[in-house]
Amino acid sequence: MGLLLPVGVGQGHATEPYPSRPVRIIVPYPPGGTTDIVARIIAQQLSEQLGRPFVVDNRAGASGAIGASAVAKSAPDGYTLLMGTANSHGINSALQANLPYDAVKDFAPITVVASTPNVVIVNAKLPVRSLAELLALAKADPGKLNYGSTSPGGSPHMSAELLQAMTGTRMTHVPYKGAAPMLTDLVAGTIQVGFDNLPSSMGMIQSGDVRALAVTTPERWPGTPDLPTVAESGVPEYEVSGWFGLLAPAGTPAAIVERIQAAVVQAVRKPGVQEQFAAAGAKPVADRPEVFARQIAADVERWKKVVETTGVRLE
C-alpha cells in the first residue's frame, strides 16, 4: 500500500491525506473500448499504490464531450479525474462549435498514460491484402464501401477522413457508439472496413476475425512489427497517433497532480503493467504535466487545420 501524503485537502488545520476516500476516473466512452481498457489497467495500479479505490465510471456520449464536461465542472479536489483522449482534448475543439468545456483552460493535465496507433481493418472475406488494394477498390467504385468508426468525430473517424482526403478516395461512413458494435458489424460483413484504436481490435486481429492492413503512426508499432504504416503503404506524410491521459479539473492543487503523476510513473515501470499494455497494443508513457499541457494545446491547433483541410462535419 502506498504512503498517504498530507497534500492539504481542506481548510486551515483540517487537512487530510490524499486520497482519503475513493476516486472516480470518468471514461467518456463505453466499456470495452481502448480508453476503458487503459483506464482500468491504471485504476488498478493507482488503487494499489495510493491505498484507496480508483473506480472507473463510464459516461459515454457526444464523442467524449459529456464525460469530459462532467469532470470540468467537478470540484478541483482530486476525487474526480478524466481519462481524456486526442478526441476529447483535440478533435472535439475543432468539430464541435458549442463544446461545453475548454480543452486547455478547464483542466489540469496530469500525465499521458499510454499512446497507441489507430488501425485500418477489413472484413476477413474482403478480397484485399494491403492498404493499396483497399484504396484501389475504393477508387474503382466511390462510395460503395462502407467504413465504420467507433464514434462520429473520434480519432478513428478522423483517421479515415484524412486518409480519404489525401488519396482522393470516398467510402461511406457508418458511425458507431463504441468499438464493440462496430467490430461486431465488421465481422458480420455489414460494413467492409473499420478504423479503430489498435487495443480494442487486437483480439479480433489475432484471431483472424478481421484483417489488419496498416497502422496510422509514422513508424511501425512494436506490438505488431509485421503490420506496415499507412505512410509506407503509399500515403507519404500520413500520421495519426492516439493518446490516453489523466486530467483533473482546473484548480486542482499541484501537490495532488504531482502525487498522481508520480504513482503513474511507478506503475508503468512495472514489467507486468508493461506487458498488459503491450498485449493490448498500447505503449506506456507517463510524462510530466507541463509536457502533457503542451501536447493538448498543439493537438487542438493541429486538428483544427485537419478539419479545415478535409471539410469533415459531424453527421
Side-chain angles (χ1 to χ4, degrees):
M1 180 178 293
L3 178 65
L4 302 183
L5 297 184
V7 296
V9 181
Q11 302 293 326
H13 298 289
T15 58
E16 296 178 334
Y18 176 85
S20 59
R21 62 180 190 272
V23 178
R24 283 188 307 159
I25 300 178
I26 290 182
V27 170
Y29 305 101
T34 300
T35 314
D36 185 66
I37 292 169
V38 171
R40 291 181 188 279
I41 291 173
I42 207 64
Q44 179 181 352
Q45 293 300 314
L46 292 176
S47 298
E48 293 175 3
Q49 289 195 44
L50 300 184
R52 294 290 184 273
F54 279 69
V55 181
V56 171
D57 180 0
N58 295 89
R59 300 277 192 94
S63 296
I66 290 176
S69 179
V71 175
K73 296 173 182 176
S74 296
D77 56 10
Y79 289 96
T80 303
L81 307 177
L82 175 73
M83 183 59 76
T85 67
N87 186 19
S88 68
H89 279 70
I91 297 171
N92 280 355
S93 297
L95 279 179
Q96 298 192 32
N98 299 311
L99 194 65
Y101 60 87
D102 187 302
V104 174
K105 297 179 181 179
D106 290 344
F107 297 87
I110 299 172
T111 183
V112 174
V113 175
S115 64
T116 182
N118 291 331
V119 62
V120 186
I121 50 180
V122 296
N123 177 275
K125 295 180 181 178
L126 193 71
V128 299
R129 295 281 173 178
S130 68
L131 182 64
E133 291 180 356
L134 175 65
L135 295 175
L137 189 61
K139 285 182 179 180
D141 199 347
K144 182 178 181 180
L145 290 175
N146 294 324
Y147 84 85
S149 73
T150 53
S151 68
S155 175
H157 176 202
M158 296 302 291
S159 296
E161 293 296 332
L162 182 59
L163 179 63
Q164 292 178 105
M166 293 179 70
T167 58
T169 53
R170 182 166 60 86
M171 297 180 284
T172 300
H173 181 215
V174 181
Y176 289 84
K177 294 182 178 179
M182 188 273 287
L183 290 167
T184 297
D185 275 6
L186 182 62
V187 172
T190 306
I191 56 175
Q192 297 81 45
V193 186
F195 287 76
D196 193 12
N197 301 129
L198 180 59
S200 47
S201 290
M202 183 68 86
M204 288 193 175
I205 292 170
Q206 292 173 334
S207 68
D209 289 323
V210 301
R211 182 181 303 123
L213 302 182
V215 292
T216 62
T217 40
E219 298 176 351
R220 293 195 182 199
W221 201 247
T224 55
D226 295 330
L227 192 58
T229 67
V230 171
E232 68 181 290
S233 300
V235 192
E237 298 184 7
Y238 181 96
E239 174 190 351
V240 178
S241 299
W243 55 258
F244 308 87
L246 285 172
L247 303 102
T252 298
I256 292 177
V257 169
E258 292 289 341
R259 178 67 176 133
I260 299 169
Q261 192 272 344
V264 173
V265 170
Q266 292 181 40
V268 302
R269 287 175 177 170
K270 294 181 178 179
V273 174
Q274 293 175 4
E275 290 171 4
Q276 281 184 286
F277 278 122
K283 180 171 64 178
V285 178
D287 55 6
R288 293 287 304 155
E290 59 272 17
V291 174
F292 188 14
R294 290 194 295 269
Q295 180 169 341
I296 290 171
D299 265 17
V300 168
E301 294 306 312
R302 176 176 185 264
W303 284 110
K304 285 180 179 178
K305 292 178 181 178
V306 171
V307 168
E308 290 174 1
T309 299
T310 61
V312 65
R313 296 290 182 269
L314 291 180
E315 288 91 345

